[in-house]
Amino acid sequence: RYLGLRPVEEDVVSIVQAMTHYTTLDWDEFVQFIKKFREHDISILKQQFMLADSDDSGSLDIDELHNMCVKLGYSPTRTVTLEALKSIDLDGSGTITFDEFEQLREHLRASYGFTLDEAEELKRLFARTVGDTDKKLSYEDIRRFNSYLAYNTTTD
């Protein structure tokens, strides 16, 4: 499941070890690391994009985007995928190019895999349940939360 949302530790270690034999980086080395990691990140994103582009058109349509998200371990509804496509389809073509595809991870960060409205509603409910989004839900809070969302949670 890779869209650059969480760097893989082995990749980070590999890049750092290629740069230095030490376990620390100074500022200049850190800047160099960020540049190298960005190159690595883009190459992985390009691979994901090319694998998803089943018709080799150079762009992804709704079906290709949805199938890619599912294959990467996300479980979006068609509505979530359509909202993501519309938010990143800068030219309004109904498909996304690689440049637009790079924006997908920002959309996923903001939406947590839900529609943006659903994500905001969940944040509001969470904060209302525990008082702040920095706190944690207890099991009883989770039961109340699920009950409000019309999910039945038993104590068995």
Side-chain angles (χ1 to χ4, degrees):
R1 177 174 165 157
Y2 185 88
L3 279 177
L5 295 174
R6 293 198 173 102
V8 177
E9 184 175 350
E10 293 82 25
D11 295 344
V12 171
V13 169
S14 175
I15 293 168
V16 170
Q17 286 178 343
M19 293 173 51
T20 183
H21 297 291
Y22 301 106
T23 58
T24 59
L25 300 176
D26 64 23
W27 173 249
D28 291 334
E29 291 168 328
F30 177 71
V31 170
Q32 181 184 3
F33 164 79
I34 293 297
K35 289 177 182 177
K36 288 187 180 299
F37 186 81
R38 175 76 175 138
E39 291 169 7
H40 170 76
D41 182 52
I42 292 297
S43 81
I44 291 175
L45 283 176
K46 283 183 181 174
Q47 289 172 7
Q48 292 296 340
F49 184 86
M50 290 179 353
L51 286 171
D53 184 15
S54 59
D55 61 3
D56 294 324
S57 64
S59 62
L60 302 181
D61 62 22
I62 182 71
D63 293 326
E64 291 168 324
L65 182 62
H66 187 77
N67 290 337
M68 182 213 59
C69 288
V70 170
K71 285 179 184 173
L72 289 175
Y74 296 95
S75 50
T77 63
R78 198 103 172 128
T79 303
V80 168
T81 304
L82 185 59
E83 179 184 83
L85 180 114
K86 286 180 179 178
S87 76
I88 59 180
D89 180 18
L90 303 176
D91 62 7
S93 65
T95 62
I96 57 169
T97 63
F98 180 75
D99 290 340
E100 293 168 323
F101 178 69
E102 286 187 85
Q103 301 305 310
L104 178 61
R105 63 178 146 194
E106 294 305 317
H107 180 84
L108 290 173
R109 280 186 186 132
S111 69
Y112 304 97
F114 297 101
T115 65
L116 291 172
D117 288 342
E118 289 169 337
E120 282 304 312
E121 178 66 11
L122 288 172
K123 281 183 194 175
R124 279 194 298 276
L125 288 172
F126 186 95
R128 192 167 74 201
T129 302
V130 296
D132 188 354
T133 56
D134 291 337
K135 294 185 180 175
K136 295 182 180 182
L137 288 174
S138 68
Y139 180 73
E140 185 57 36
D141 291 333
I142 293 168
R143 287 188 55 225
R144 283 197 329 260
F145 196 86
N146 281 348
S147 176
Y148 180 82
L149 295 172
Y151 297 118
N152 185 19
T153 306
T154 64
T155 56
D156 303 332

